[in-house]
Amino acid sequence: MPGDAQWLEREELATWMSLAALLFKLPGVLDYQLQRDSGLTHFEYLVLAGLSESPGRSRRMSDLAGFANGSLSRLSHVVKRLEQRGFVERRPAEDDGRITVATITDSGYEFLVAAAPGHVATVREYVVDVLSPEQLAQLKDIADTILAKVDPGKDC
Amino acid sequence: MPGDAQWLEREELATWMSLAALLFKLPGVLDYQLQRDSGLTHFEYLVLAGLSESPGRSRRMSDLAGFANGSLSRLSHVVKRLEQRGFVERRPAEDDGRITVATITDSGYEFLVAAAPGHVATVREYVVDVLSPEQLAQLKDIADTILAKVDPGKDC
DNA sequence: GGTTATTGGTTGATGCGTCAACTCAAAGCT
DNA sequence: AGCTTTGAGTTGACGCATCAACCAATAACC
């Protein structure tokens, strides 16, 4: 029923359908490229990237989970796999035994460096380079606005 | 190709990180609400919605897969589950035995109608109502632009 | 100071998505 | 007609994410 808060107006619906389609398809494109060229998930890539740019190439698990936008549980599984591949190491923090600190290894770092250009090129090809500078700015505002609602307390 | 081909500028990177966070988190919010309140996936919801608004409440599988932004394989699995729940029926088309036509049942339709308000409310709460009309228009343009690159030949 | 609560992470079962292999039907070809 | 090719959809195995239960270490509290 149009006009009712219970439903979406035509314009609203059209926008939502476009966004929904984007949410379904864009992750697939990114994962496909990374998987094919580097055997990495987008999430795994973010984990390695998050470690590589941290001081000491190390980061505690919760922090890393926040950075990579995933749950701690998910991260734990993923880091275990990355550890088995020799890309990451884990050890408890000295001052607090509850905390686990993950560190990217040299081979993990090399692997990331090898994977990065292809990933960046894909991000450029499908997102950055198809939008105007104005649209990029708009997109950032829009995404941040929604994220503030979805995930209050991060960023801000 | 604007910009340095290999890396992202600061602004570009910030935008991309925001979008990436959105891609990770927004689907979770939507799926969570639908799962909790109706025992449906967002994808399942789209499948039922796609059927409900089609003539004869029926649609062929490939068409439905396109509408719901998923692969035919994925749809086949999902429709099998929905069929087991009594929400959907499948039968081959009369004129072409290769084509499978899916139809939403009455109980599936009732179920969808019961699930819709909560889903719509969530979409409003996290997306539509936090953005200005201007931003909604921008978002649609942006999403469609990216989708045209991701998925050339659909829409537009 | 000993018990309880809380915090940080891990683990295992379950369910869904993906990929490749497969089936069946309809055209194409000769 | 036969043989092959293409198109539409299904299936099964495997991998990953989620959820809930769990464990360990620290902090709170009396």
Side-chain angles (χ1 to χ4, degrees), chain B residues 10-68:
Chain B
R10 186 196 226 86
E11 297 293 316
E12 294 169 342
L13 181 60
T15 298
W16 167 239
M17 291 304 270
S18 291
L19 177 56
L22 193 67
L23 294 179
F24 274 108
K25 299 217 160 132
L26 192 49
V29 171
L30 295 160
D31 273 324
Y32 178 74
Q33 180 275 323
L34 272 172
Q35 194 67 48
R36 173 169 50 85
D37 296 343
S38 311
L40 285 178
T41 303
H42 186 206
F43 187 75
E44 291 173 327
Y45 181 92
L46 278 179
V47 167
L48 294 180
L51 289 175
S52 77
E53 71 183 26
S54 297
R57 290 183 182 174
S58 297
R59 213 151 172 176
R60 54 180 295 192
M61 295 291 282
S62 328
D63 188 8
L64 193 52
F67 174 84

Side-chain angles (χ1 to χ4, degrees), chain A residues 52-109:
Chain A
S52 77
E53 70 184 27
S54 297
R57 290 184 181 171
S58 298
R59 211 150 174 180
R60 52 179 298 194
M61 295 291 282
S62 333
D63 188 8
L64 192 53
F67 174 83
N69 303 300
S71 69
L72 198 45
S73 171
R74 181 180 187 180
L75 180 67
S76 182
H77 285 295
V78 165
V79 167
K80 182 168 47 175
R81 285 171 224 139
L82 291 175
E83 201 171 28
Q84 284 160 358
R85 292 214 252 169
F87 294 162
V88 166
E89 283 169 356
R90 274 187 293 188
R91 62 173 184 291
E94 283 89 13
D95 53 328
D96 189 336
R98 291 172 298 185
I99 293 172
T100 302
V101 176
T103 307
I104 188 171
T105 64
D106 288 348
S107 89
Y109 191 80

Side-chain angles (χ1 to χ4, degrees), chain B residues 118-156:
Chain B
H119 174 63
V120 170
T122 306
V123 173
R124 277 207 171 285
E125 180 181 1
Y126 290 101
V127 179
V128 173
D129 285 354
V130 301
L131 300 177
S132 68
E134 205 178 15
Q135 285 179 311
L136 282 174
Q138 293 168 356
L139 176 56
K140 175 158 170 42
D141 282 347
I142 290 168
D144 286 342
T145 302
I146 297 174
L147 282 171
K149 184 76 181 178
V150 168
D151 194 14
K154 195 199 174 184
D155 160 278
C156 306

